């Protein structure tokens, strides 16, 4: 991801939180939206804390490399930096396996229109089986980046 893309993703994730919290579906989460410790792959538990913001950002950078590698492996090379950043955001949010098997990736690699790819991205709008306003807004931010090159976060309109 570009430096701007990484900063944008941190904003989309709500910043870097030093104390474990429950995400929108109740999963213990820490740092920049991580549900696991990248060094051990162990799940985050409530009550756990990071020592500093620098530790949280380092953990984010380490975890992000895996998501970037997945996006790189799953897509052709002829995508823009903005599309790569948006797809990394999607992958980071839905997981590598879901991303790799997604209709959005299939449509992209088939050379389909941006409109059809973006529509497929916007279908990833559920948390705990329910449509989530927050995920609908996040998907729109990703789509805006793909279509217009705008690094917008929730609430920016």
């Amino acid at each position: 991801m570009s430096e701007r893309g990484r900063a944008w993703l941190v904003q989309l994730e709500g910043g870097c939180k030093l104390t474990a919290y429950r995400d929108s579906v109740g999963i213990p989460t820490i740092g920049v939206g991580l549900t696991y410790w990248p060094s051990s792959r162990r799940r985050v538990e409530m009550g756990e804390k990071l020592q500093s913001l620098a530790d949280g950002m380092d953990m984010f950078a380490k975890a992000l490399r895996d998501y970037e590698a997945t996006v790189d492996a799953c897509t052709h090379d002829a995508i823009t930096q903005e599309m790569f950043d948006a797809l990394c955001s999607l992958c980071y949010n839905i997981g590598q396996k879901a991303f790799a098997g997604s209709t959005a990736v299939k449509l992209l690699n088939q050379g389909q229109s941006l409109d059809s790819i973006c529509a497929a991205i916007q279908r990833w709008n559920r948390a705990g089986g329910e449509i989530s306003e927050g995920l609908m807004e996040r998907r729109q931010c990703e789509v805006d980046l793909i279509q217009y090159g705008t690094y917008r976060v929730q609430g920016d309109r």
Side-chain angles (χ1 to χ4, degrees):
M1 288 186 83
S2 67
E3 186 175 323
R4 188 171 181 192
R6 286 188 300 274
W8 171 73
L9 180 53
V10 170
Q11 286 184 291
L12 287 176
E13 289 289 337
C16 183
K17 300 195 172 73
L18 301 183
T19 302
Y21 64 96
R22 293 195 184 276
D23 71 5
S24 64
V25 293
I27 298 171
T29 305
I30 201 163
V32 183
L34 289 166
T35 58
Y36 63 94
W37 297 94
S39 58
S40 65
R41 306 300 280 183
R42 183 180 60 77
R43 300 298 247 164
V44 170
E45 295 177 14
M46 292 307 294
E48 292 185 305
K49 295 183 180 190
L50 293 167
Q51 295 295 314
S52 67
L53 182 60
D55 288 343
M57 294 307 292
D58 183 55
M59 190 168 89
F60 167 67
K62 287 176 184 169
L64 184 59
R65 285 194 285 268
D66 289 338
Y67 297 95
E68 291 169 322
T70 296
V71 173
D72 188 50
C74 290
T75 61
H76 55 72
D77 292 336
I79 63 174
T80 66
Q81 183 65 57
E82 291 82 8
M83 182 175 278
F84 183 79
D85 288 353
L87 293 174
C88 284
S89 171
L90 178 66
C91 184
Y92 193 84
N93 186 243
I94 69 173
Q96 294 160 287
K97 185 176 178 181
F99 176 83
S102 72
T103 301
V105 169
K106 290 175 187 149
L107 294 172
L108 172 68
N109 290 330
Q110 290 170 359
Q112 297 297 317
S113 71
L114 280 183
D115 286 343
S116 63
I117 296 163
C118 290
I121 289 170
Q122 288 178 309
R123 286 195 288 272
W124 288 94
N125 63 1
R126 294 182 180 270
E130 301 291 323
I131 292 178
S132 162
E133 290 294 323
L135 287 178
M136 288 175 59
E137 182 67 19
R138 180 172 177 148
R139 297 292 91 89
Q140 189 60 52
C141 292
E142 293 159 354
V143 163
D144 286 352
L145 183 53
I146 291 169
Q147 292 183 321
Y148 310 113
T150 304
Y151 287 88
R152 187 181 68 74
V153 294
Q154 291 98 323
D156 288 355
R157 280 275 178 190

